Amino acid sequence: MTTDLDTTSIKSQYRALQQAATLLNNARRICILTGAGVSAESGIPTFRDKQTGLWEQYRAEDLANIDAFERHPEMVWSWYQWRRNLVKDKQPNPAHYALNDLQQWAKSHSKNLELITQNVDDLHEQAGSYATHLHGHLWKNKCSQCDAAYTDPIDYQQSELITCTLCNGNIRPDIVWFGEMLPQDAWQHAENSARNCDVFISIGTSSLVYPAAGLAQLAKNNGAKIIEVNLNPTQNPLIDVVLAGKAGEMTPQLIKLLQSNDD
Ligand code: NAD
Ligand code: ZN
């Protein structure tokens, strides 16, 4: 049974999708920022989700943290090994594929589209996209002391620490933790993309983790329109169009609308 409330929200959702499609049609430069919500439907928990199993008494923020690694390197390393096991067989979901379609659509309409992600998984790449990673890569490692890349294969079942052959420092995931600087090139690229875009889309991010959360404001200050796709919209006043719903449903609907305008 469909209630009046359902009908109203379906109508307003469709209106929002049309507004978003119009903005994208008129844009020359598009910047998209994705967060953990984009990978949630692939079965990778966000940081706002409560952890389960072995690690349920810990908050993710307290582990993905430079101080935590300095104090308890074994614990943080074994949490990441656990996360790697959790993520290793996960596949892109319709949101990742729709974003790849959007990149192709933009290309065929001579629009510039930059995809920036806060995610450390590689699901955008698995779906065929090129993405700038602001927070590093779950599958890469480096030395916590001399910063050298550690490229030997890692056994994800092994939770003991590995040490650097150059300086004996502890090997850590090549991820940007709370309290650390973002990689300069990636950040510079993200800042330029946000500053120069006509439309900025924020998908599946709580917009709480800075400096990435500041990109939408930067875009807005330079006249861009802001679209948000979120299951629980952030209520941020700078947003012009809210697509309230799952990334894996809203993003494919948006690209379908754009493609149907081409026919
Ligand atoms: P977050 O956990 O703070 O917020 C996730 C957001 O996604 C929330 O606003 C939530 O309402 C929304 N959301 C949840 N499911 C959704 C869905 N199906 N469709 C649309 N929206 C949905 O994540 P964040 O903003 O990315 O920031 C936290 C940090 O966590 C980042 O630095 C990131 O590096 C890290 N992180 C990465 C991964 C990953 O790589 N997959 C997973 C967890 C956390
Ligand atoms: Zn080293």
Side-chain angles (χ1 to χ4, degrees), residues 104-236:
Q104 305 304 325
W105 173 85
K107 207 169 172 187
S108 65
H109 289 75
S110 309
K111 299 175 194 289
N112 177 273
L113 187 151
E114 301 295 342
L115 179 60
I116 320 282
T117 188
Q118 298 169 87
N119 293 345
V120 298
D121 64 50
D122 61 358
L123 298 185
H124 284 307
E125 286 80 4
Q126 283 191 45
S129 294
Y130 174 79
T132 299
H133 283 257
L134 289 181
H135 292 167
H137 302 267
L138 183 62
W139 306 111
K140 292 188 182 170
N141 295 286
K142 65 176 183 181
C143 173
S144 61
Q145 206 160 273
C146 74
D147 220 36
Y150 183 86
T151 53
D152 287 4
I154 298 255
D155 173 2
Y156 301 126
Q157 301 305 328
Q158 196 185 316
S159 58
E160 290 83 47
L161 284 170
I162 300 171
T163 47
C164 174
T165 43
L166 302 171
C167 77
N168 218 31
N170 290 324
I171 299 301
R172 55 166 280 182
D174 194 355
I175 282 178
V176 180
W177 283 330
F178 292 103
E180 292 188 309
M181 299 279 287
L182 268 53
Q184 216 180 345
D185 288 356
W187 176 247
Q188 200 59 56
H189 177 72
E191 224 181 35
N192 288 342
S193 308
R195 192 175 279 130
N196 292 313
C197 71
D198 310 307
V199 174
F200 183 94
I201 317 182
S202 164
I203 311 183
T205 165
S206 61
S207 299
L208 292 174
V209 179
Y210 279 82
L215 290 171
Q217 184 69 59
L218 201 61
K220 186 81 177 183
N221 293 348
N222 287 279
K225 295 289 185 193
I226 316 291
I227 301 170
E228 176 180 77
V229 180
N230 201 306
L231 196 52
N232 298 301
T234 57
Q235 316 292 343
N236 188 332

